[in-house]
Amino acid sequence: MTTTPLPASPDLVMSALEIRVQGCVQGVGFRPWVWQLATAIGVTGNVRNDGQGVVIRAQGSPAQLATLLTQLDSEPPPLATITGIASSELPPVESITDFTIIDSRPGLTRTDIAADAAVCAACKAEILDPMQRRSGYALTNCTHCGPRLSIIRAMPYDRAATTMAAFPLCASCCQEYRSPADRRFHAQPIACPDCGPRVSLLRLDRDHGVPATDPENHAANFYGSPESSPDADPIMAAAELICAGHIVAIKGLGGYQLACDASREDVVARLRQLKRRPTRPLALMMADLAMVSRYCHVSPREAEALESPAAPIVLLERRKAPPMSATDTHMSPKRPSQAPNLALDIAPNPALDIAPNLALDIAPNLAPDIAPNLALDIAPNLAPGLDRLGVMLPSTPLHLLLFRHIDVPLVLTSGNASGEPQLIDDARLTDALGAMASHALSHDRGIVRRVDDSLVQDAAGALRVLRRARGFAPTSLPLPPGFEDIGPGLALGPQQKATFCLIDRERAILSPHQGDLDDPATLDDFEHHLQDFLKLYDHRPGWLACDRHPDYHTSHLATAMAAREGLTITQVGHHHAHIAACLGEHGRPLSAPTVLGIALDGLGLGLNGELWGGECLLADYQQCQRVAALKAVPMPGGAAAAREPWRNLVAQWFAGPGIDALLGGYPQLDVVKRLGGMPLQALVAMLKAGLNSPKASSCGRLFDAVAAALELSFEHQHHEGEAAMALETLAARALARMSVHDLGTAPGYPLDITVSDTGVMLLDPAPLWPVLFDDLARGCDPALCAARFHLGLATALARVASTLSQDHPFDTVALSGGCFHNRSLLALVEQRLGALGFKVLSHRQVPANDGGIALGQALIAAAPARRQHPPHSPLHPCLVPDGHDDDSQESTHVPGNPGADHHDR
């Protein structure tokens, strides 16, 4: 943050300043807070919004103005973020005798737009207090919480520019809005039961359901309207439906969600069938931390994330002991009678946490419990085969009030069929969700733009964002030093986990998560959101950036936009963008020395048409050079190898010890017998002939092969990352049982390090296969086998970094790519690199997977000297037509199969 010094005017009795504040300062109670500061200090003047932020005209003594500047810089409201304060002298105006909030002025938008915020503690207390006038009101909010991005139509942020414009304030709300002492002073979305939106329950069966916006049928099809009796309370009725086994759609902050009783295995199975989501983990909502602690281990950092204004989904370790009593958890013992207590056999609890000093630290609250097979009253099919659950707390008053009538966790997943965007249009409610939900708990406050739930995890000593959406986006990211003079640009991002990035000389605005663009509806939604953001921010890009892959939808969009508007395009290598995103997040200056970037993902087009996915790059924002990689191994069947892990296992043996060594050496193993039941000979013939078997240095496919060896998702993956997530789960169980000493010395599976003809160092996984299968033949615990693979890979990567540093002057290693969402791998790699003396950079605010790619593209394209390299530079532009990220959360794009290349991992 930069603060312009107060002009020295020691002899003046009265001075005046114009103070401009930039950052996230609209929609967060900033003007009321400035009023309170100014009034307390005795400063006169006014404050208003404009397109660039907040403008303050302040009059007072030099000491008073200095105090105001100091407090502005150090004590902002909870949801505000200040990126700059500048002041200039004005002539004092004697007629200004008080301090006021004045109307906003339109102009080009250069200010941040606030993210939606979960219901705050004060509003929670208010709606649960029967003596308050908003008691039980499900659309309660204030300056510290509630909808922002999801309801804004235009900037500056005023009520008239939101979907709340349709609800004039009643006298009581007007008084709060105008009262400086009230926390709703100038809070734009406020409302109450007398003047605000109302909640209704809609029947969604196709014979009876009508759109929520149909005024003529409102009373006949909704329950809980003001004219209804108290017995028809829509929230209570929805709770009763959920307890009876119904699936109910609920209108959240950024779109509709599907809710059901998480203790009912049959209901969860029905939801999975209707959403076409057979095994992908389902998110849960729990009433409070007490309920969360009943089912999961919660660290202080995780608890803070759960209760933060962002209220993301947090990945938590399951408990294995039975639920605590109501006395232990301070909860009411009531629960729906329809929800049986289902037995759940939960495997030993994994944990691997690395402290910031890179010393391994197994969190004590995550150690395996002594009773691993006791019942928990949640369905066993919530996250099949995994030891962690995705949990969030109520983000709106509507959710909070629902839990007054339900005391078990709820499944709360996005309101859409698998792969499609989340529904926000009330008029499409019956058509879009009527086949999945029997009813909808809705309201008539409009949603302008979809915002998905964010996802985070605690890994390697820090909170890591895995999906950046509600609560985090579109908060801007400061640009690293050296990017001050760039013109406005736009990066279109990747194909999967799509986001886009608006960038100018002050900031990068990374869009909320948009989804996978193979789905036509998601692609349409992406294009709509792109145009929406360009208009909302008054952003007129002078240049574009996109991935080098020619078949990406984002590449097509960039080409069309460039032709239409006469813009230049910079095509950016995918893995280079991964590393640049990590550097940018950490604020590494443009002029900083080169780092070693380790990018581990699934697939990407490399130099000369090669498929990359396990890369070590000497890189900065302007250039990169491939110096090491996993040895390329065939992918038999091309894209089919991403769906069927057994193919990768066969390919690894074919490229390494040989198929004869596999079949002749381990005929007794179940995994080899299962291979015999697959079209093995045809696959081997394909490999020998080199037919439809492109070679790839893919870390994702290596994980799939090891998972298949341990018979995890052996034949087929139902969703992306299924095999890799199961492998990580197994490894974490074994690693959690190891001491710090064991973690540093335990033998991992070996990988050879050789050098290719082109001088690129290669990590060859061939040696690990006989050792792994010897372990299986001896009856070794599969969890230990999975742990030894992680240990071996981390050790090999550290050896490569150490060897490369002897010939290349780097002291920093940046880790990116979706494989680093694997907590165990991230922790082990960070520990080993730190022990060698390297500074390690890894993602925290921006996802390591493709969700961060657009930021990296924008920074690379914006680097002023990106096409000018000193004659002595050992690097060159990374002219790599990379594919997209593909780890445990990614997919593949194999050339030659347009339109059908992206498949679940």
Side-chain angles (χ1 to χ4, degrees), residues 114-134:
D116 296 291
V119 57
C120 69
C123 285
K124 286 181 184 178
E126 188 175 10
I127 63 177
L128 296 177
D129 183 350
M131 303 305 294
Q132 298 291 325
R133 74 185 188 92
R134 287 187 177 86

Side-chain angles (χ1 to χ4, degrees), residues 581-643:
C582 185
L583 299 181
E585 176 184 338
H586 285 272
R588 190 170 177 86
L590 177 63
S591 60
T594 299
V595 304
L596 178 68
I598 301 178
L600 304 182
D601 53 20
L603 285 180
L605 287 174
L607 290 174
N608 303 316
E610 297 172 346
L611 294 173
W612 288 6
E615 311 307 312
C616 294
L617 308 173
L618 289 175
D620 55 27
Y621 299 109
Q622 303 174 63
Q623 52 203 341
C624 74
Q625 179 184 1
R626 191 193 200 202
V627 290
L630 283 171
K631 183 178 179 179
V633 171
M635 289 178 52
R643 299 190 301 269

Side-chain angles (χ1 to χ4, degrees), residues 828-850:
L828 290 168
V829 172
E830 283 203 357
Q831 185 273 333
R832 278 153 173 71
L833 291 173
L836 293 171
F838 292 111
K839 179 181 179 180
V840 182
L841 305 179
S842 56
H843 290 275
R844 297 189 182 190
Q845 300 178 64
V846 175
N849 65 15
D850 272 17

Side-chain angles (χ1 to χ4, degrees), residues 153-154 156-166 177 188:
R153 298 190 187 279
Y157 177 68
D158 287 307
R159 188 180 184 92
T162 73
T163 58
M164 289 301 296
Y177 184 86
Q188 303 305 321

Side-chain angles (χ1 to χ4, degrees), residues 567-590:
L567 305 177
T568 60
I569 302 176
T570 299
Q571 297 177 327
V572 179
H574 184 85
H575 298 94
H576 189 192
H578 266 307
I579 301 306
C582 185
L583 299 181
E585 176 184 338
H586 285 272
R588 190 170 177 86
L590 177 63

